[in-house]
Amino acid sequence: GQYAFLEIQGRLPTAGESAVFNAMLCTLVEHGMTPMAIATRLTYLGAPESLQGAVAAGLLGVGSTFAGTAEGAARILQAALAELPAIAEAVVRRLREARQPIPGIGHNLHKPVDPRAPRLFEIAAEHGLSGRYVSLMRHIATAAERALDKPGQLPVNATGALGALACE
């Protein structure tokens, strides 16, 4: 994790940044039966001698629907920070009017909580890396639940947490 952080940031991480970054990487590894995981598994099944090809097949499938939603979550968080609750409401309203999904919110299996998100947020808080982006992500989840009339059903998911922590 420290080497990857160095490659991205051009410096070694602090102890807190290292702990949070490693937790984020662990979260990315666990993605179950997603299209990119299936592509990797099938490629490896067909050509076990081509591990690199199997990994590449999976990486090519990372996009705006699975795993890549961390980027979407990060983008909406960076675009909206002034007054968190009001901004969160506006973000949700804008996405709903555009008939777009709200990145980083909700999960088809993990209800009422995606257990990965609170743990990532805890690790970030323990290391002084929980701030305005984490707060905004939580406000967006609350605003989405109100707007869609789904109280307790649209938790911040793992990619939402990753997007917020990447912004932090």
Side-chain angles (χ1 to χ4, degrees):
Q2 288 182 331
Y3 185 75
F5 188 98
L6 173 64
E7 287 293 314
I8 294 167
Q9 293 291 338
R11 65 175 176 79
L12 288 172
T14 64
E17 290 170 333
S18 182
V20 172
F21 191 74
N22 281 313
M24 291 169 68
L25 291 177
C26 287
T27 300
L28 285 171
V29 171
E30 186 281 308
H31 258 86
M33 292 301 286
T34 58
M36 62 268 198
I38 294 168
T40 299
R41 292 169 181 171
L42 290 176
T43 302
Y44 184 73
L45 179 66
E49 68 282 359
S50 182
L51 179 61
Q52 294 89 346
V55 171
L59 290 174
L60 290 171
V62 173
S64 60
T65 304
F66 292 94
T69 57
E71 180 181 356
R75 287 184 189 278
I76 65 169
L77 291 173
Q78 289 178 348
L81 275 178
E83 297 176 36
L84 299 183
I87 293 300
E89 298 285 341
V91 166
V92 169
R93 186 172 42 257
R94 179 177 47 82
L95 291 170
R96 290 194 66 219
E97 287 170 359
R99 296 177 190 241
Q100 295 179 334
I102 303 167
I105 303 299
H107 197 278
N108 61 329
L109 298 176
H110 298 298
K111 292 178 184 184
V113 173
D114 180 340
R116 301 166 297 179
R119 183 61 187 131
L120 285 167
F121 288 159
E122 284 175 18
I123 293 168
E126 289 167 7
H127 296 283
L129 294 169
S130 179
R132 58 191 187 169
Y133 295 104
V134 169
S135 181
L136 180 55
M137 193 75 236
R138 288 179 166 146
H139 282 290
I140 288 172
T142 301
E145 287 180 347
R146 274 196 306 272
L148 297 168
D149 195 27
K150 293 187 175 187
Q153 297 178 47
L154 298 172
V156 174
N157 62 35
T159 59
L162 290 171
L165 294 179
C167 290
E168 294 291 348

